[in-house]
Amino acid sequence: MSTENEGNAVPPAPSAPPVPVDAPTASAQGAVSDGGAPTTPLPPLPQGLPGAAGQAPGPASAEGPQAHGQGPAPHHPYGAPAPDGTWPPPPAHGDAGGAGGTGGGWGASYQPPAPKSSGRGGLIAAVLVAALVAGGIGGGIGYTLAKDNDSQGSTTVSANDSGASQVKRSAGTIAGVASRALPSTVTIEAESSNGEGGTGTGFVFDTQGHIVTNNHVVADAVDGGKLTATFPDGRKYDAEIVGHAQGYDVAVVKLKNAPSDLKPLALGDSDKVAVGDETIAIGAPFGLSNTVTTGIISAKNRPVASSDGSSSSKASYMSALQTDASINPGNSGGPLLSAAGAVIGINSAIQSTNSGGFGSGQSGSIGLGFAIPINQAKYVAQQLIKTGKPVYAKIGASVSLEESTDGAKITDQGAGGAAAVETGGPADKAGLKPGDVITKLDGSVVDSGPTLIGEIWTHKPGDKVTVTYKRGGQDHTVDLTLGSRVGDN
């Protein structure tokens, strides 16, 4: 299934990983990563109303991925769905990044705050201002009515809230988990050398200052761009990219002059997650930093393929955790927590309708979010910190990326005229041939090429797996040892 990185339509999940040779060009659907959205300032409050002397910051928007072959396409908070289902999806058009932004497939465009906001971001800002003004007026009216009533002998009783703001919630509550996790999350702003970029989320991985996030969150800053990370208490740090893996959609950045009081979030075991388990997501949806939402694990092992929407982009694949916790553009890279507060995934993509609210083509959560399992993300992050490059498991065969429900078909020819089955590679040694259709990997059903890739990438090079395939209408089973590929190229 394909999704959007918070905003792009997703092509069907590819059946077999395009390694070591690139898979031939084929039509498929793509997902969009849930990326971030630029922020825009709210217009000043009217003079004479409470708080009119200042301005409140307002959020903007981004996009997302689409699910492979089923329903509306999921998207990254940093992307936009492909209107025609082609793979990879075409570049996003229009103001994909919110008010005044220039859209980029995997993330909302970033620009310095403008004095005026327009489009979707402007409308959201106006709504927030209206809420603040209404609150001020309501308070004034309430006080006047109470005063009048008192003069007529009427009395009211108020609850004793002395010290209420200091009450500590127990560790097992959502409030307790949030209070412990929020100080270890950051809002990331990535800006390219030409000023474009977006907003996403990340979390503290270790005491050395490494922050884990999505590749599509930092993509704009890869070549000479600028990265900053802001903690909930307002501390802001410049950061640099340590390594990024486009295929996994995982990146690691490091804070410059990192503080000594960093508290890494505890990592859970995503293999032990069960459908129905409670989840807590932290991020910056539409630029609203430090937002906490809750839900459950809706499904496991969802095949998700996502792209940034550009014609030159390469797909990301995952066997994702699905959650109904509200995830929107800007949540990308943020932690998905268990009820105990352990990180079980990295929020990366959402399924969304093609048309968003507030009169724009951007859309938000419909209760279908997808996260990279933390067991996989942890392995990738450790590789990036160690060498700066990702390492991918491979079977050494090119498979069709066309949408299918029958399995992952090994193509007749690889990319650029190369052999579809790498000579001496894992698939070759196991006896696989062009035309074979892989239907299972270690017992997990494989319905397409993207699905196979996502399943293979949950493993490490050197792992032994059992492959079930069809040849001439007959089922065959064979064991093979996965090979490795270093880097995204």
Side-chain angles (χ1 to χ4, degrees):
M1 151 176 134
S2 59
T3 69
E4 307 168 13
N5 296 337
E6 284 190 9
N8 284 8
V10 181
S15 39
V19 250
V21 295
D22 295 333
T25 302
S27 70
Q29 294 175 317
V32 183
S33 63
D34 76 7
T39 61
T40 57
L42 293 179
L45 295 176
Q47 294 299 320
L49 292 177
Q55 289 182 320
S61 59
E63 313 104 72
Q66 182 171 0
H68 163 58
Q70 299 180 11
H75 65 282
H76 299 272
Y78 261 79
D84 58 0
T86 57
W87 182 258
H93 298 289
D95 186 10
T102 302
W106 297 68
S109 60
Y110 171 79
Q111 290 188 336
K116 295 182 179 180
S117 57
S118 60
R120 180 181 185 182
L123 183 51
I124 295 176
V127 170
L128 293 177
V129 171
L132 292 172
V133 173
I137 295 176
I141 293 175
Y143 172 76
T144 300
L145 291 178
K147 183 176 181 181
D148 291 343
N149 287 338
D150 286 344
S151 66
Q152 298 174 9
S154 175
T155 60
T156 59
V157 177
S158 300
N160 182 2
D161 62 356
S162 176
S165 61
Q166 304 302 319
V167 173
K168 294 183 179 180
R169 269 61 179 179
S170 62
T173 64
I174 293 172
V177 171
S179 66
R180 296 195 308 275
L182 276 168
S184 297
T185 62
V186 296
T187 297
I188 296 174
E189 289 186 0
E191 183 178 343
S192 66
S193 56
N194 62 9
E196 295 182 356
T199 303
T201 307
F203 62 91
V204 177
F205 188 68
D206 58 28
T207 57
Q208 285 70 51
H210 291 109
I211 304 294
V212 172
T213 185
N214 283 142
N215 172 73
H216 71 264
V217 169
V218 303
D220 284 315
V222 168
D223 297 317
K226 179 182 178 181
L227 275 179
T228 60
T230 304
F231 285 85
D233 61 7
R235 290 181 297 170
K236 188 172 186 177
Y237 298 87
D238 289 332
E240 58 185 357
I241 298 175
V242 173
H244 60 103
Q246 186 173 32
Y248 291 122
D249 196 18
V250 173
V252 175
V253 304
K254 188 174 184 179
L255 304 178
K256 296 181 180 179
N257 301 314
S260 60
D261 60 348
L262 291 176
K263 295 182 179 180
L265 288 182
L267 306 184
D269 185 348
S270 50
D271 289 340
K272 295 182 179 179
V273 170
V275 173
D277 282 351
E278 293 180 312
T279 58
I280 301 169
I282 298 179
F286 298 106
L288 296 173
S289 301
N290 315 318
T291 294
V292 177
T293 56
T294 64
I296 63 170
I297 292 293
S298 306
K300 296 176 62 176
N301 305 315
R302 284 291 194 215
V304 172
S306 58
S307 165
D308 65 4
S310 68
S311 59
S312 61
S313 71
K314 295 181 179 180
S316 297
Y317 303 103
M318 69 181 96
S319 182
L321 295 176
Q322 180 181 319
T323 181
D324 65 349
S326 182
I327 297 174
N328 287 286
N331 275 106
S332 284
L336 183 68
L337 306 172
S338 68
V343 181
I344 54 176
I346 300 177
N347 300 317
S348 300
I350 61 175
Q351 175 91 28
S352 177
T353 56
N354 289 333
S355 59
F358 301 102
S360 102
Q362 299 169 346
S363 47
S365 175
I366 59 172
L368 294 172
F370 304 95
I372 302 167
I374 194 59
N375 288 5
Q376 177 181 6
K378 176 183 177 181
Y379 163 73
V380 176
Q382 290 172 335
Q383 287 293 325
L384 293 176
I385 293 172
K386 182 178 180 179
T387 68
K389 296 182 179 180
V391 179
Y392 298 90
K394 70 173 186 178
I395 63 170
S398 293
V399 296
S400 173
L401 301 183
E402 292 182 351
E403 183 173 356
S404 170
T405 58
D406 298 328
K409 182 179 180 180
I410 299 179
T411 56
D412 294 327
Q413 191 175 52
V421 177
E422 176 188 5
T423 302
D428 183 37
K429 291 179 179 180
L432 294 173
K433 299 179 179 180
D436 289 345
V437 179
I438 297 174
T439 57
K440 290 183 180 180
L441 184 76
D442 274 352
S444 296
V445 175
V446 172
D447 59 8
S448 66
T451 300
L452 178 59
I453 295 175
E455 286 295 329
I456 289 175
W457 286 356
T458 62
H459 294 274
K460 301 175 183 178
D463 285 353
K464 292 184 178 181
V465 296
T466 300
V467 175
T468 300
Y469 65 95
K470 283 185 177 293
R471 178 187 297 171
Q474 299 296 316
D475 288 328
H476 302 272
T477 300
V478 65
D479 292 331
L480 60 79
T481 300
L482 296 172
S484 67
R485 172 173 65 89
V486 178
D488 281 311
N489 297 322

